[in-house]
Amino acid sequence: MGGQVLRLQDVTVRRDGAALLRDIEWTVHEDERWVVIGPNGAGKTTLLQVVGAMLFPSEGVVEILGERLGQTDVFDLRPRIGLASAALAEKVPPEEKVIDLVLTASYAIIGRWNEEYDSGDVTRAVELIDQLGCAHLIRRRFGTLSEGERKRVQIARALMPDPELLLLDEPAAGLDLGGREDLVRRLSALAQDPKSPTMALVTHHVEEVPAGFTHALLLRHGSVVAQGEIDHVMTADNLSRTFGIPLNLERGRDGRWYARAYGF
Ligand SMILES: Nc1ncnc2c1ncn2[C@@H]1O[C@H](COP(=O)(O)OP(=O)(O)OP(=O)(O)O)[C@@H](O)[C@H]1O
Ligand SMILES: [Mg+2]
């Protein structure tokens, strides 16, 4: 077990009278790769915003990479965290070139524009784009990419500053079958690479959980249904309670999960 990357104690997030998250307890260690699973509106994105130092809880204690939210400068903390989400993708100007989008990752977070890139930075950006299977897109404009290509470029960008924590919100949403399988395979390789940062990935589909993820947190109506080692947490009973419908759960030989509703 590595050092502690996240520690949430009694975390509640309220907005306009509604509790989006309720009494969350969550501890994440360095070498762990977590999936956060839950239905629409469960609070998954809200949770990722809290651990990404983008949102302060209404109650409770949040420690991210050894820093306590509220007692630390979030502008020092955010560059240590890689975040990829649909909300962030919407902010990318369509004319931005793929290479520039990845290159500026280390600077954009702190709002700086630097015309002269270090050649080491360029090499790293090119390697990451290649690692995500997007080498042929390097000169393309973001606005011309397909949904799947955008997702992969975003992950390359999130990895660019060599973050200590990587947060992915629905990375496979909007992808076709081939695109999803390709992405899940790449995320699986990333999860199994000991040099990768600690990871937390949000999804509503157990089919999208890449092999190599070690822990799971199941969320429903802002509360934790179950959490811990993935083999213990991923049961038909836990998933049925999380999604509020009776589900059968199977696991393939490759370590992937498959869920099906029954009894309708
Ligand atoms: N400002 C707000 N005021 C009241 N409710 C809000 C506010 N912002 C978000 N919510 C609600 O909080 C709940 C949790 O939202 P969140 O985006 O975290 O869910 P999610 O699990 O990511 O869902 P999805 O799978 O659809 O992305 C939703 O029901 C949402 O409508
Ligand atoms: Mg969401």
Side-chain angles (χ1 to χ4, degrees):
M1 198 184 282
Q4 234 172 49
V5 173
L6 291 176
R7 192 166 68 98
L8 278 68
Q9 275 183 303
D10 263 332
V11 167
T12 293
V13 172
R14 276 199 207 86
R15 268 204 202 156
D16 306 325
L20 278 51
L21 291 175
R22 226 184 304 243
D23 305 327
I24 305 287
E25 307 275 334
W26 189 24
T27 303
V28 172
H29 296 97
E30 240 167 47
D31 43 8
E32 296 170 354
R33 283 86 175 85
W34 282 76
V35 284
V36 176
I37 302 179
N40 288 126
K44 305 180 298 297
T45 296
T46 307
L47 181 61
L48 227 54
Q49 280 183 309
V50 171
V51 300
M54 306 297 278
L55 177 70
F56 281 61
S58 318
E59 284 164 35
V61 176
V62 179
E63 270 178 31
I64 306 167
L65 300 165
E67 305 291 333
R68 188 160 160 176
L69 269 195
Q71 296 180 358
T72 189
D73 187 343
V74 289
F75 293 99
D76 291 334
L77 196 50
R78 284 180 194 154
R80 299 170 63 192
I81 305 167
L83 176 65
S85 71
L88 274 177
E90 277 168 19
K91 293 192 186 132
V92 177
E95 65 279 4
E96 182 93 341
K97 281 203 182 122
V98 166
I99 179 72
D100 292 332
L101 183 61
V102 176
L103 260 174
T104 53
S106 342
Y107 306 95
I109 298 165
I110 51 169
R112 205 167 74 197
W113 177 254
N114 196 335
E115 296 272 15
E116 296 286 317
Y117 294 117
D118 194 88
S119 70
D121 282 351
V122 177
T123 308
R124 177 169 172 77
V126 171
E127 273 171 13
L128 283 170
I129 293 167
D130 186 40
Q131 197 188 331
L132 271 301
C134 297
H136 59 298
L137 302 172
I138 212 152
R139 302 269 154 226
R140 286 269 293 278
R141 296 183 189 281
F142 192 72
T144 70
L145 303 182
S146 80
E147 202 60 43
E149 292 163 348
R150 282 178 204 205
K151 299 278 185 192
R152 284 187 272 154
V153 168
Q154 273 188 75
I155 295 170
R157 178 182 156 90
L159 286 167
M160 180 65 195
D162 198 12
E164 292 157 74
L165 173 63
L166 178 65
L167 305 173
L168 305 173
D169 194 353
E170 307 277 2
L175 302 195
D176 69 18
L177 187 55
R180 181 190 82 177
E181 290 303 296
D182 178 74
L183 187 69
V184 169
R185 201 162 38 84
R186 288 177 199 282
L187 291 176
S188 189
L190 205 57
Q192 286 166 46
D193 183 345
K195 294 193 297 295
S196 292
T198 309
M199 295 166 72
L201 178 155
V202 161
T203 180
H204 345 79
H205 298 296
V206 300
E207 289 78 2
E208 288 172 6
V209 176
F213 272 67
T214 60
H215 290 71
L217 182 146
L218 307 185
L219 208 55
R220 175 175 177 79
H221 293 329
S223 296
V224 174
V225 174
Q227 62 168 314
E229 283 179 29
I230 202 161
D231 294 350
H232 297 149
V233 169
M234 292 287 275
T235 63
D237 188 47
N238 282 341
L239 276 176
S240 301
R241 284 197 286 141
T242 303
F243 286 91
I245 47 166
L247 290 168
N248 280 321
L249 182 69
E250 282 170 39
R251 193 172 191 186
R253 279 228 207 117
D254 55 0
R256 301 266 305 274
W257 274 275
Y258 306 88
R260 238 164 245 90
Y262 68 90
F264 281 108

